[in-house]
């Protein structure tokens, strides 16, 4: 019989105690999913109170002296296997974060970000930055305090980055963007000068039959190997994935009246997140390391399915008849046209609608601005102007309203400063997985053509999913690739794909 993954007696005690924390998280996740999908609006207040209470109960359980002592006693013990070390790392990080933030600060933070989200929604709806400004000012101040509580060596922004991607530092992120920026700038220049360049693809404006698209998404999920007993699809204002347990993951998608690719790509993106959660080793269930490792690794999975499967020629070919059936005006489009529609590159104002090439500029803009706010190089009052200037500089476009400019994302209103870079690094990492997988198994296109989706799934499971959060982003990348995180495979991928699309 195989040796169990988590065997050490003190680890066993930690896991016993953690199971209650897991249960509270489990119920909180279910309650949060309900907020975004089916909860009647008036339920918001009660749900907020319940989730807040559950959170403080979790904090109490994490800080129980015996649990803290057990976790500390295992730090630096070398005979633990990787999985056990993962538990020790994750639990101690949790303890450390809860210990460093005073309860009064946590409460203030929750209150401020709750109010800020309401203000942000109103401000966005009425195109009024002034409504959101005082809230964002408070959030920036509190984020600086948060960084001070956590502590850092070089920059307060480091402490915030680390919260979303363990081990991430400003200097590395800076270097990373410096590497990809000139590459993207010249690629985009070539694309916009190509005779194939168009500023809008007609299919973006073409209406579709909603019922048919809902059916399409279900059929696509079956093709991708969805097990409906453990993965369900619903509808929400913004697509997201919520893991409840390793056998119960919920994803959502959206439907607009036109632009059917937006719904298909959102569905397959969230499927990629879900698969990661569903594929953890069963022995990790109820432990602190079950579920995806980090935001960056997670995004490397969602982007993998979205870009390499959903935007591929083989996928469009496989689903061409079903796509034609999505509407009378879509019916006329050739397969080649639909492939081009799924891969149209154009500088625009909105991050969530961006293509594979321009997407990263949206992230760079947010990264530079939020870092400037945190390091006090920029005042919130000057943010809209700075935002517009960056859009002009990076993408040659300028928002006419606050809503399509500085107010477009929810992140800052939630206090998520330091989050954005993971969208870019995760996307870039996905190309490293692609390169490795294709070297072993042949191209993803050929696997789709041969109906070998399961082969792709198994590869991802073996190399990434099974570990849950045993490893950090950097640890997993180094373990699997033998080198440090590198943007080269992604640059090669974009270069060769878009040279063909935009000669
Ligand atoms: Mg995502």
């Amino acid at each position: 019989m195989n040796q169990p993954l988590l065997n050490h007696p003190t680890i066993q005690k930690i896991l016993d105690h953690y199971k209650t924390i897991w249960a509270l998280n489990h119920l909180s996740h279910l309650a949060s999913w309900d907020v975004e999908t089916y909860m009647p609006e008036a339920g918001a207040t009660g749900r907020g109170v319940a989730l807040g209470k559950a959170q403080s109960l979790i904090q109490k359980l994490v800080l129980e002296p015996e649990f803290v002592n057990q976790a500390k006693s295992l730090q630096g013990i070398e005979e633990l296997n990787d999985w056990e070390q993962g538990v020790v790392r994750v639990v101690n990080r949790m303890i450390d974060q809860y210990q460093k933030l005073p309860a009064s600060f946590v409460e203030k933070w929750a209150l401020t970000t709750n109010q800020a989200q309401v203000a942000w929604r109103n401000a966005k709806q009425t195109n009024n930055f002034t409504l959101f400004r005082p809230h964002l000012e408070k959030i920036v101040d509190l984020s600086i305090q948060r960084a001070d509580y956590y502590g850092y060596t070089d920059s307060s922004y480091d402490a915030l980055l680390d919260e979303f991607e363990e081990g991430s530092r400003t200097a590395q992120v800076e270097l990373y963007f410096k590497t990809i920026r000139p590459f993207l700038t010249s690629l985009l220049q070539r694309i916009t000068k190509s005779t194939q360049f168009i500023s809008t693809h007609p299919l973006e404006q073409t209406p579709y039959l909603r019922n048919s698209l809902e059916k399409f998404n279900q059929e696509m999920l079956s093709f991708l190997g969805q097990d409906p007993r453990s993965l369900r699809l619903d509808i929400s204002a913004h697509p997201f994935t919520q893991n409840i347990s390793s056998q119960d993951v919920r994803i959502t998608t959206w439907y607009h009246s036109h632009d059917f690719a937006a719904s298909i790509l959102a569905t397959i993106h969230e499927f990629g997140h879900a698969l990661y959660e569903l594929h953890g080793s069963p022995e990790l269930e109820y432990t602190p390391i079950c579920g995806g490792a980090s935001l960056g690794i997670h995004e490397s999975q969602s982007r993998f399915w979205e870009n390499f499967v959903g935007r591929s020629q083989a996928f469009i070919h496989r689903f061409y008849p079903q796509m034609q059936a999505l509407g009378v005006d879509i019916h006329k489009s050739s397969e080649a046209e639909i492939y081009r529609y799924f891969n149209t590159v154009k500088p625009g104002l909105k991050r969530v609608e961006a293509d594979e090439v321009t997407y990263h500029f949206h992230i760079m803009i947010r990264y530079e601005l939020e870092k400037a706010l945190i390091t006090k190089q920029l005042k919130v009052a000057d943010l809209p102007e700075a935002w517009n200037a960056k859009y002009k500089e990076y993408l040659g476009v300028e928002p006419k309203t606050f809503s399509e400019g500085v107010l477009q994302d929810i992140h800052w209103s939630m206090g998520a400063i330091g989050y954005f870079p993971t969208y870019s690094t995760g996307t870039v990492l996905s190309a490293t997985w692609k390169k490795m997988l294709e070297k072993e198994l042949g191209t993803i296109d050929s696997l789709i053509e041969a109906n070998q989706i399961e082969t792709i799934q198994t590869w991802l499971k073996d190399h990434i999913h099974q570990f849950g959060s045993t490893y950090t982003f950097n640890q997993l990348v180094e373990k699997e690739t033998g080198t440090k995180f590198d943007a080269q495979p992604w640059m090669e991928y974009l270069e060769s794909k878009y040279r063909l699309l935009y000669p």
Side-chain angles (χ1 to χ4, degrees):
M1 198 185 118
N2 287 338
Q3 177 84 351
L5 302 180
L6 300 163
N7 200 29
H8 190 283
T10 311
I11 292 278
Q12 288 296 329
K13 284 183 198 157
I14 288 176
L15 297 184
D16 267 357
H17 181 77
Y18 183 80
K19 206 162 181 177
T20 312
I21 299 170
W22 175 89
L24 286 166
N25 275 325
H26 174 90
L27 296 171
S28 299
H29 290 168
L30 182 59
S32 303
W33 169 81
D34 179 57
V35 170
E36 303 295 330
T37 50
Y38 296 108
M39 186 186 73
E41 210 182 310
T45 314
R47 188 60 50 86
V49 173
L51 283 167
K53 287 286 175 199
Q55 273 314 308
S56 43
L57 197 50
I58 289 172
Q59 176 161 17
K60 246 185 224 156
L61 288 165
V62 169
L63 293 180
E64 265 188 25
E66 208 186 328
F67 184 68
V68 173
N69 289 338
Q70 286 160 352
K72 299 274 176 223
S73 76
L74 290 179
Q75 275 180 319
I77 304 275
E78 279 182 9
E79 72 253 27
L80 300 178
N81 65 31
D82 281 14
W83 311 84
E84 292 167 336
Q85 305 240 18
V87 170
V88 174
R89 192 192 85 250
V90 169
V91 167
N92 277 297
R93 181 169 155 86
M94 213 183 292
I95 291 170
D96 194 50
Q97 288 177 337
Y98 278 129
Q99 277 176 337
K100 282 178 172 166
L101 299 182
S104 61
F105 177 84
V106 173
E107 217 166 285
K108 204 163 156 193
W109 177 270
L111 190 71
T112 309
T113 52
N114 263 326
Q115 290 170 344
Q117 283 172 65
V118 177
W120 168 76
R121 267 193 191 99
N122 286 334
K124 190 175 176 179
Q125 256 163 29
T126 56
N127 186 35
N128 184 350
F129 182 71
T130 322
L131 285 181
F132 182 50
R133 186 182 140 180
H135 296 274
L136 186 56
E137 281 167 347
K138 271 191 221 162
I139 285 178
V140 170
D141 285 344
L142 286 177
S143 298
I144 295 170
Q145 273 183 51
R146 196 177 177 88
D148 288 339
Y149 282 128
Y150 284 144
Y152 52 85
T153 337
D154 297 327
S155 156
S156 47
Y157 188 64
D158 281 348
L160 303 181
L161 280 176
D162 186 273
E163 205 176 357
F164 295 103
E165 191 66 81
E166 191 174 349
S168 178
R169 296 292 174 268
T170 315
Q172 295 160 355
V173 175
E174 193 74 32
L175 187 68
Y176 162 75
F177 283 127
K178 262 195 190 133
T179 313
I180 68 166
R181 185 178 172 180
F183 162 76
L184 284 171
T185 305
S186 82
L187 180 59
L188 183 59
Q189 262 170 14
R190 258 179 26 221
I191 289 173
T192 50
K193 280 184 193 144
S194 161
T195 51
Q196 293 296 322
F197 178 75
I198 39 166
S199 55
T200 332
H201 194 286
L203 281 171
E204 286 169 42
Q205 314 292 342
T206 309
Y208 59 75
L209 301 163
R210 164 131 175 200
N211 284 347
S212 307
L213 189 52
E214 287 188 23
K215 233 176 72 198
F216 180 99
N217 279 332
Q218 283 299 349
E219 202 183 316
M220 173 179 76
L221 287 178
S222 319
F223 171 75
L224 295 174
Q226 171 211 22
D227 179 351
R229 290 170 309 168
S230 50
L231 174 62
R232 57 173 291 139
L233 172 67
D234 292 273
I235 299 165
S236 64
H238 281 273
F240 69 95
T241 298
Q242 181 69 67
N243 61 315
I244 312 285
S245 77
S246 66
Q247 284 164 28
D248 176 0
V249 180
R250 321 284 172 95
I251 60 174
T252 66
T253 191
W254 54 10
Y255 296 98
H256 309 120
S257 56
H258 51 87
D259 200 8
F260 65 91
S263 173
I264 294 173
L265 292 171
T267 309
I268 193 166
H269 176 103
E270 300 308 331
F271 169 80
H273 281 303
L275 200 63
Y276 189 6
E277 295 291 332
L278 291 166
H279 271 171
S281 175
E283 276 186 71
L284 305 185
E285 183 72 308
Y286 317 131
T287 78
I289 54 169
C290 72
S294 80
L295 288 173
I297 302 282
H298 241 297
E299 201 66 7
S300 80
Q301 296 311 296
S302 55
R303 286 297 202 175
F304 182 100
W305 289 91
E306 178 191 345
N307 293 333
F308 309 146
V309 179
R311 287 189 158 99
S312 71
Q313 249 158 346
F315 177 83
I316 307 282
H317 177 72
R318 164 68 179 73
F319 282 103
Y320 178 56
Q322 290 93 327
M323 286 187 193
Q324 278 187 300
L326 291 174
V328 275
D329 294 319
I330 299 167
H331 197 83
K332 294 176 274 188
S333 306
S334 70
E335 202 179 305
E337 268 175 88
I338 292 184
Y339 175 66
R340 186 161 283 281
Y341 157 56
F342 270 67
N343 292 287
T344 302
V345 175
K346 54 172 202 301
L349 293 169
K350 289 190 194 156
R351 178 182 62 85
V352 292
E353 289 174 7
D355 54 82
E356 281 185 281
V357 176
T358 58
Y359 185 79
H360 302 269
F361 290 120
H362 295 269
I363 302 302
M364 281 179 229
I365 292 169
R366 285 152 180 77
Y367 157 72
E368 286 174 18
L369 294 173
E370 67 180 21
K371 192 183 65 174
L373 288 171
I374 293 300
T375 53
K376 300 184 183 169
Q377 313 282 310
L378 176 69
K379 288 198 189 89
V380 173
D382 301 326
L383 183 62
E385 210 180 305
W387 179 284
N388 291 3
K390 292 259 182 224
Y391 264 81
K392 191 125 204 237
E393 182 196 341
Y394 278 87
L395 288 156
V397 291
E398 227 178 325
K400 296 207 170 46
T401 64
F402 296 120
S403 307
E404 61 176 13
V406 67
L407 291 174
Q408 69 178 269
D409 303 298
I410 193 172
H411 301 65
W412 289 337
S413 74
M414 296 162 67
I417 296 179
Y419 184 123
F420 282 115
T422 66
Y423 284 131
S424 177
T425 48
T427 303
V428 167
L429 177 62
S430 66
T432 299
W433 305 135
K434 175 181 190 283
K435 191 177 172 180
M436 284 172 66
L437 178 145
E438 292 192 331
K439 207 173 154 192
E440 272 176 53
L441 304 169
T443 65
I444 293 174
D445 271 63
S446 68
L447 292 167
I448 298 170
E449 276 159 24
N451 253 322
Q452 293 282 308
I453 292 292
E454 212 186 316
T455 311
I456 301 175
Q457 284 204 16
T458 307
W459 191 93
L460 294 171
K461 186 179 185 173
D462 289 349
H463 290 268
I464 302 150
H465 300 167
Q466 61 157 324
F467 302 114
S469 33
T470 300
Y471 305 105
T472 64
F473 180 100
N474 287 327
Q475 287 172 339
L476 183 69
V477 168
E478 280 171 40
K479 176 180 171 295
E480 291 301 322
T481 67
T483 58
K484 289 196 186 312
F485 171 59
D486 181 11
Q488 195 60 35
W490 169 77
M491 292 198 259
E492 285 162 14
Y493 155 76
L494 275 196
E495 177 73 36
S496 64
K497 175 170 174 180
Y498 289 95
R499 197 191 303 128
L500 289 175
L501 277 158
Y502 293 93

